[in-house]
Amino acid sequence: MKGAILHGPRDVRCEEVPEPRILKPTDAIVRLSATCVCGSDLWPFRGLNEISAPMAMGHEYCGVVEEIGSAVKTVRPGQFVVGSFCISDNTCPHCRFGFQSSCEQREFMTGAQAPLARVPLADGTLVATPKIPADDLIPSFLAASDVLGTGWYAADAARVQPDSTVVVVGDGAVGLMGVLAAKQMRAGRIIAMSRHKTRQDLALEYGATDIVSERGEAGVARIKQLTNGVGADSVLECVGTKESMTQALQCARPGAMIGFVGVPHGVELDGAELFYAQRGLMGGPAPVRRFLPHLMELVAERKINPGKVFDLTLPLADVAEGYRAMDVRRAIKTLLRV
Ligand SMILES: [Zn+2]
């Protein structure tokens, strides 16, 4: 089969790779209905994460179970499933506490930009739907695997409450999903920070009440102005740079929580500053598995449409173009047909 392999900076290729097979009794093989490119795939693509060997790309997936290992009990061949990008057993103390992305047996999914993927710990990782979903719902189920679950976690970690004021820093796919999540959690005001017209429009469609196009100090000043000098009750930091984290901290009111889900690159925090700022931070790889059953239900009932975040669809063979389009922000998120 053909799969996406990253060979070095800006060199991703669709090339012949071995078909995955069951390696452990707890594995499942899934025939993917679609796959996609993640914002976090851009870090190694841009050469900002060093890679020492060719790397099989892709960690977002949904599809039909093709084969299961002898110990798998909760899913069976023929079922449509969605799994998290974090592999978890869903039984250890961290999983039971709702932090499956810190599972004692955690692994990160790889090799999902391909027609078939091996999912370890299938019982703990995969969630099946009662029936095979309609084709037009596939992008939304695929979104649940990472980008929606991550945006949702940002809102959950920032403790978004009904009627509260929320600021979303970052207008990438995760930030847009954070807006959707805050809306579902019934925030009263959702301020999206974005400078790009198409992303502003989608943010408004997902429930943003205000758009702030300024950045840095000017952006913070604008948020203060919009909140009578107080700041936001919850801030979703969906970028991961020093600038975005600083902006998130400064937009938050004392006592606020910041959910940070952008993988930090060069972010350093000062202990004393944090102490006097009195803002809470909760972040990390999203425990998507905790939210999956609920998110999949919302998708199945067509109460949310996270799949709209995919504004470019390409065949897997054109994976390199999919990365390039996201790299230069021609596309918000690329869906790959397999
Ligand atoms: Zn676990």
Side-chain angles (χ1 to χ4, degrees), residues 88-92 94-95 103-105:
S88 60
D89 57 19
N90 213 24
T91 54
C92 79
H94 306 317
C95 284
C103 177
E104 288 176 352
Q105 300 197 64

Side-chain angles (χ1 to χ4, degrees), residues 48-59:
L48 296 169
N49 287 357
E50 231 172 278
I51 61 161
S52 50
M55 198 162 102
M57 299 300 288
H59 55 260

Side-chain angles (χ1 to χ4, degrees), residues 15-296:
E15 62 187 33
E16 199 60 34
V17 294
E19 278 199 14
R21 44 192 189 86
I22 301 280
L23 300 178
K24 289 183 183 170
T26 46
D27 289 352
I29 302 296
V30 176
R31 182 166 294 278
L32 303 193
S33 302
T35 182
C36 56
V37 182
C38 182
S40 67
D41 292 334
L42 296 181
W43 293 109
F45 180 75
R46 287 169 174 158
L48 296 169
N49 287 357
E50 231 172 278
I51 61 161
S52 50
M55 198 162 102
M57 299 300 288
H59 55 260
E60 297 168 85
Y61 58 99
C62 66
V64 176
V65 177
E66 179 106 342
E67 192 187 347
I68 55 173
S70 58
V72 175
K73 292 182 179 67
T74 61
V75 295
R76 55 179 190 277
Q79 278 185 319
F80 180 85
V81 291
V82 183
S84 165
F85 67 95
C86 271
I87 305 301
S88 60
D89 57 19
N90 213 24
T91 54
C92 79
H94 306 317
C95 284
R96 289 204 304 270
F97 198 60
F99 283 79
Q100 289 90 341
S101 45
S102 284
C103 177
E104 288 176 352
Q105 300 197 64
R106 177 179 73 184
E107 290 176 48
F108 289 102
M109 186 70 187
T110 58
Q113 285 164 7
L116 289 163
R118 169 183 164 258
V119 182
L121 300 175
D123 277 336
T125 304
L126 298 173
V127 178
T129 54
K131 52 179 183 157
I132 302 282
D135 273 352
D136 67 316
L137 287 179
I138 297 296
S140 287
F141 277 113
L142 176 61
S145 175
D146 179 356
V147 65
L148 170 61
T150 297
W152 197 276
Y153 174 54
D156 180 85
R159 294 194 196 141
V160 172
Q161 301 292 322
D163 302 320
S164 62
T165 295
V166 178
V167 164
V168 180
V169 179
D171 64 359
V174 171
L176 292 166
M177 294 295 100
V179 171
L180 179 156
K183 172 74 176 171
Q184 287 291 313
M185 295 174 191
R186 303 200 306 278
R189 195 162 191 196
I190 304 167
I191 307 170
M193 304 193 80
S194 170
R195 298 192 296 183
H196 303 81
K197 179 74 171 80
T198 51
R199 294 167 190 235
Q200 292 174 350
D201 290 346
L202 200 46
L204 291 168
E205 195 176 327
Y206 280 140
T209 54
D210 304 80
I211 300 287
V212 167
S213 54
E214 294 91 340
R215 276 193 178 187
E217 277 179 30
V220 172
R222 184 82 185 108
I223 298 290
K224 286 283 165 67
Q225 194 186 23
L226 287 170
T227 55
N228 298 321
V230 174
D233 306 321
S234 296
V235 180
L236 282 55
E237 195 287 309
C238 308
V239 184
T241 60
K242 187 169 186 284
E243 294 71 24
S244 63
M245 184 61 103
T246 304
Q247 198 165 303
L249 277 162
Q250 291 177 350
C251 289
R253 68 187 294 173
M257 281 297 290
I258 293 147
F260 68 110
V261 295
V263 183
H265 284 74
V267 176
E268 282 173 29
L269 299 169
D270 180 275
E273 252 176 53
L274 262 185
F275 180 82
Y276 287 105
Q278 286 202 293
R279 276 93 160 150
L281 291 165
M282 169 63 91
V288 173
R289 180 62 183 80
R290 189 204 318 166
F291 310 118
L292 260 185
H294 179 52
L295 298 179
M296 289 168 68

